[in-house]
Amino acid sequence: MAYLELKNVSMTYGRGANATEVLSNINLTIEEGEFVAIVGFTGSGKTTLVNLINGLLKPTSGEVLFKGEPVVDTSHERGVIFQNYSLLPWLTVGQNVHMAVKEAFPKASKKEINARVEEYVAMVNLSPAINKRPKELSGGMRQRVSVARALAMNPEMIIMDEPLGALDALTRGNLQDEILKIWSKDKRTALLITNDVDEGIYMADRIIPLKPGPNATLGPEFNINIERPRDKTELNDNLEYKKTRNAIIEYLMGIGEERKSASKKIYELPELTPKSFVA
Amino acid sequence: MKQSVTVVQDEKGNFGTMVKDFVIKLIPAMPKWNGKTLVRKVLIPLASIILFVGLWHVGAKALYNIEADYKIQKALTDQGQEAADQMAACIASGDVSCQPNTLPSPAQVWTSFNTLIADHKAISADKAEFKAKTAALNAKREAEGKAPIVYTGRPSFVDQIFTSLKTVFAGFLLALIIAVPVGVIIGLSTTLRNSFNWLIQIFKPVSPVVWLLLVFMIVKTMTKDSESDSAFIISFISVGLCAMWATLVNTAMGVATVDKDYINVAKVLKLGPIQKVFKVILPSSLPLIFTGLRITLSVAWMVLIAIELLAQSPGLGSFVWEEFQNGANDSNSKIIVAMFVIGIIGFLLDRIMLTVQNMVSFNKNATA
């Protein structure tokens, strides 16, 4: 039995004439302990897909199964790291994490909760900033808080919705390593949604491109058979890496070309001649 | 928003330092002093004040002359040349009995201000004396279980200010107690919001005078048998009802438009409905709620004067009205003094609310 399974999932927004099918016929299986990345263009319905899996949205048709049970609501078993951090700005770093821990472990004592908050804030190297509010932090630090908040709830699966999308390239690289380091500790099942093919290859076991929407659907999957831990600089010379990367980019660019040339309509321009003001 | 987190507690001092911090925040930050800021922050505002007072003086003088000419002309047509000369001489001499009654000049207003202060001192002294005199008697009466004798003399201008402040705060509290919870409930449900919208839209523009009459109808009947001060009750309830709409609408809007990201966080963390309201929705709508409260307080102060004037409840409004009815020589200048006092207090109240608002805003600073 697959750990997470999407069967013929379709998602339509709006009704009647205004209906747009964002996702259609999505089929996906993720096994326990796997790290899967989904790559796609901006606006291809990636966030919708994430919200279907974490339970914020319900599919129009098809099923989302988590450990064999249909997903009907959000759950502490699936931790989410949002694209825009979604930290509560009126709470400090510690309080943001504290709120999540308290919900995930309602029976824990105050002392245990506080210890856990400190542990996870320390894990993302933010102990000195524990009493700061999100607006005092940089983008990378905010995303680290978001990571700590999701992991402190001890989820069985981590869902990351373009977690590093808004960061600069250097911070991005650092955080990728940090997330991988944390992930490799207990190999929780992870789903990464990204628009960066390199990020996907560097982090995941399997990459699946998402064809752009409307009617977005998943393309053929690519397995990444590169030993972990992976080294970013060595990766550049890795044949397997180059091959996969080129194949994925070719596939995605192919779709892009297809999408561009999809419009075959020829527009006829009216015949106009400029008026002469000389005569 | 104090959280029960021991490890991550903010560094908070005792109440005294909190008050001190608050007072410091009330005063705008001091700029670096150089020639430019001196001109911009001191000289130009000062010049504007002088210009204002100057124009006022000139205008008042012109009105005074028109009124004086009219008086002399009237004496001339009614009683002849001799009476007209007498009138002109009387006006020129500054005699109180024949002064033209018009817009007072800045100097007259300043005199009246000093008169009112002196009057307040006299009344305070009188009160203190009364208290000393009746202290022994009151102690005896209290021991016998009788009500003590209280001072029933005329209230001074400063007493009126405090009465007005008391009424406005009672009204403001009433508005807060009604509007915030109702706004939250309405904001949470689209159905409720749609079904209450007509009520808000209809009652929001109703004039303070009509509210006063409505409250009067109800309170008059309800306090029929009691000895309580119904004028105060009527005025503070009317003030509250007039002023609460801004808070109601803003609270409902703030609650209804909480950032979807925060709602998603609440869902992912699986907060219960009550937790969701108190930990996510309320804190995120606090800035808008306080914007509403700030408008409510200024509206409350504005309508208070009109309501006191009509309800005959003591305060600045009735002070203005009584002075107007009084028609004494310095009545007009006392009214102008009251006008400035009302304006300055309104400004201070707004300043306090702005500071509170900035303290609860987590992402941006509201500006005046």
Side-chain angles (χ1 to χ4, degrees):
Chain A
M1 187 182 65
Y3 190 69
L4 178 85
E5 199 171 3
L6 275 73
K7 281 186 188 163
N8 293 322
V9 168
S10 298
M11 185 68 199
T12 310
Y13 286 117
R15 244 186 290 173
N18 295 325
T20 30
E21 196 176 47
V22 179
L23 298 173
S24 57
N25 275 323
I26 300 271
N27 284 295
L28 172 71
T29 40
I30 297 177
E31 299 300 330
E32 192 159 3
E34 238 190 330
F35 197 132
V36 175
I38 291 178
V39 226
F41 289 103
T42 323
S44 56
K46 293 186 301 251
T47 300
T48 305
L49 182 60
V50 167
N51 286 345
L52 286 172
I53 295 171
N54 66 32
L56 284 172
L57 288 174
K58 284 188 190 69
T60 319
S61 67
E63 284 188 294
V64 180
L65 298 173
F66 181 69
K67 296 200 287 188
E69 300 278 324
V71 168
V72 285
D73 198 0
T74 54
S75 156
H76 290 159
E77 292 175 323
R78 298 184 300 278
V80 186
I81 300 171
F82 289 102
Q83 185 174 1
N84 37 15
Y85 326 131
S86 298
L87 299 173
L88 303 180
W90 54 89
L91 298 181
T92 63
V93 169
Q95 286 165 342
N96 264 297
V97 180
H98 184 272
M99 195 172 165
V101 176
K102 211 175 163 195
E103 283 309 312
F105 305 95
K107 285 177 194 145
S109 72
K110 246 184 183 169
K111 217 172 138 193
E112 285 170 327
I113 291 178
N114 287 336
R116 202 175 170 84
V117 170
E118 281 176 8
E119 180 196 336
Y120 278 85
V121 172
M123 191 181 76
V124 294
N125 299 325
L126 280 178
S127 292
I130 195 164
N131 285 329
K132 287 202 169 136
R133 281 177 212 285
K135 75 169 177 191
E136 300 169 78
L137 305 179
S138 68
M141 288 162 102
R142 285 183 210 183
Q143 194 54 285
R144 293 219 291 262
V145 181
S146 183
V147 170
R149 182 176 64 183
L151 293 177
M153 297 176 82
N154 200 21
E156 293 181 25
M157 179 179 179
I158 318 163
I159 301 164
M160 292 168 272
D161 179 12
E162 293 197 56
L164 312 175
L167 303 177
D168 64 275
L170 294 173
T171 317
R172 213 169 202 219
N174 277 337
L175 263 180
Q176 285 169 359
D177 288 337
E178 264 178 57
I179 292 176
L180 276 179
K181 208 171 77 196
I182 295 163
W183 173 78
S184 61
K185 263 189 216 156
D186 39 19
K187 302 254 172 183
R188 281 182 256 230
T189 316
L191 176 68
L192 170 75
I193 308 282
T194 179
N195 55 19
D196 182 348
V197 178
D198 292 342
E199 183 174 285
I201 300 177
Y202 178 59
M203 295 179 80
D205 298 322
R206 198 143 60 94
I207 290 197
I208 306 165
L210 184 67
K211 280 192 191 168
N215 301 325
T217 192
L218 293 176
E221 61 176 53
F222 297 85
N223 283 312
I224 322 257
N225 301 314
I226 303 174
E227 279 287 306
R228 287 178 194 275
R230 295 167 184 168
D231 186 302
K232 249 194 201 126
T233 40
E234 276 174 30
L235 218 55
N236 285 329
D237 305 320
N238 188 314
L239 273 181
E240 171 81 22
Y241 170 79
K242 279 186 190 165
K243 217 171 75 191
T244 323
R245 186 173 185 271
N246 288 344
I248 296 171
I249 289 179
E250 217 164 275
Y251 177 79
L252 282 172
M253 296 317 277
I255 309 171
E257 284 303 312
E258 210 175 282
R259 189 160 62 155
K260 263 187 222 158
S261 56
S263 173
K264 287 269 160 54
K265 202 170 166 187
I266 294 166
Y267 295 93
E268 244 182 69
L269 298 176
E271 279 208 33
L272 294 172
T273 42
K275 191 177 172 182
S276 168
F277 290 98
V278 183
Chain B
M1 271 163 296
K2 198 166 175 283
Q3 296 284 308
S4 56
V5 189
T6 43
V7 278
V8 289
Q9 223 163 30
D10 276 334
E11 280 180 37
K12 268 181 194 145
N14 53 24
F15 187 69
T17 44
M18 265 175 72
V19 170
K20 209 175 118 200
D21 283 352
F22 184 80
V23 172
I24 289 168
K25 276 180 189 164
L26 270 178
I27 305 160
M30 274 293 177
K32 249 188 161 178
W33 285 108
N34 55 35
K36 214 173 171 186
T37 49
L38 184 78
V39 169
R40 268 178 47 201
K41 300 255 172 182
V42 177
L43 293 185
I44 294 178
L46 212 63
S48 76
I49 292 172
I50 291 168
L51 184 72
F52 173 76
V53 174
L55 281 176
W56 174 13
H57 178 80
V58 172
K61 192 85 197 155
L63 288 173
Y64 179 89
N65 287 339
I66 293 170
E67 196 74 29
D69 285 348
Y70 176 76
K71 271 196 148 176
I72 297 167
Q73 203 60 46
K74 194 157 185 286
L76 183 69
T77 46
D78 287 358
Q79 294 161 298
Q81 187 59 46
E82 198 182 332
D85 290 343
Q86 252 178 22
M87 181 58 87
C90 177
I91 290 172
S93 73
D95 187 21
V96 204
S97 62
C98 53
Q99 283 306 306
N101 187 15
T102 182
L103 178 71
S105 72
Q108 280 171 307
V109 170
W110 179 248
T111 317
S112 288
F113 175 70
N114 288 329
T115 316
L116 285 170
I117 297 295
D119 182 47
H120 170 66
K121 279 183 185 149
I123 290 177
S124 298
D126 201 21
K127 247 188 210 169
E129 197 188 330
F130 177 83
K131 210 174 168 186
K133 250 190 220 166
T134 54
L137 184 63
N138 272 344
K140 206 174 136 199
R141 280 177 73 96
E142 237 163 292
E144 285 168 7
K146 285 186 205 161
I149 301 167
V150 288
Y151 182 79
T152 50
R154 181 171 61 89
S156 76
F157 181 64
V158 180
D159 294 338
Q160 307 264 42
I161 294 175
F162 282 109
T163 317
S164 280
L165 282 175
K166 196 177 89 184
T167 318
V168 86
F169 278 117
F172 176 72
L173 275 184
L174 180 77
L176 183 113
I177 290 166
I178 297 175
V180 173
V182 173
V184 170
I185 292 165
I186 287 179
L188 285 174
S189 145
T190 325
T191 324
L192 275 182
R193 201 158 56 247
N194 290 339
S195 40
F196 274 97
N197 195 34
W198 67 270
L199 206 137
I200 296 173
Q201 298 305 333
I202 288 178
F203 284 125
K204 199 170 63 168
V206 170
S207 145
V209 180
V210 183
W211 277 115
L212 174 75
L213 297 178
L214 177 84
V215 174
F216 180 72
M217 290 175 214
I218 298 166
V219 172
K220 188 190 70 180
T221 316
M222 288 181 68
T223 57
K224 204 137 224 170
D225 305 322
S226 77
E227 294 278 301
S228 56
D229 178 10
S230 70
F232 170 72
I233 296 173
I234 290 171
S235 47
F236 97 79
I237 293 180
S238 315
V239 167
L241 289 183
C242 285
M244 70 176 199
W245 302 100
T247 303
L248 182 65
V249 171
N250 266 34
T251 308
M253 195 169 86
V255 169
T257 58
V258 172
D259 197 328
K260 204 151 186 293
D261 289 343
Y262 304 155
I263 299 289
N264 279 350
V265 170
K267 277 188 191 158
V268 168
L269 299 186
K270 291 194 86 69
L271 297 181
I274 292 174
Q275 290 242 312
K276 189 168 131 186
V277 170
F278 281 99
K279 292 205 160 166
V280 177
I281 292 175
L282 267 184
S284 87
S285 36
L286 266 189
L288 260 183
I289 294 178
F290 271 87
T291 313
L293 285 176
R294 187 176 154 209
I295 301 170
T296 288
L297 188 59
S298 20
V299 170
W301 184 245
M302 217 157 76
V303 301
L304 172 83
I305 308 299
I307 281 174
E308 279 178 349
L309 193 150
L310 280 164
Q312 292 301 306
S313 88
L316 282 173
S318 56
F319 171 83
V320 170
W321 190 240
E322 276 159 18
E323 284 303 332
F324 182 67
Q325 298 288 3
N326 188 358
N329 209 45
D330 59 350
S331 282
N332 283 0
S333 40
K334 278 183 183 167
I335 291 172
I336 305 289
V337 173
M339 195 187 94
F340 278 108
V341 168
I342 291 165
I344 289 165
I345 292 175
F347 169 70
L348 288 179
L349 290 178
D350 193 59
R351 204 70 228 176
I352 292 170
M353 281 308 285
L354 178 70
T355 312
V356 176
Q357 192 189 340
N358 277 338
M359 283 165 85
V360 299
S361 303
F362 40 84
N363 44 8
K364 53 188 178 288
N365 281 353
T367 43

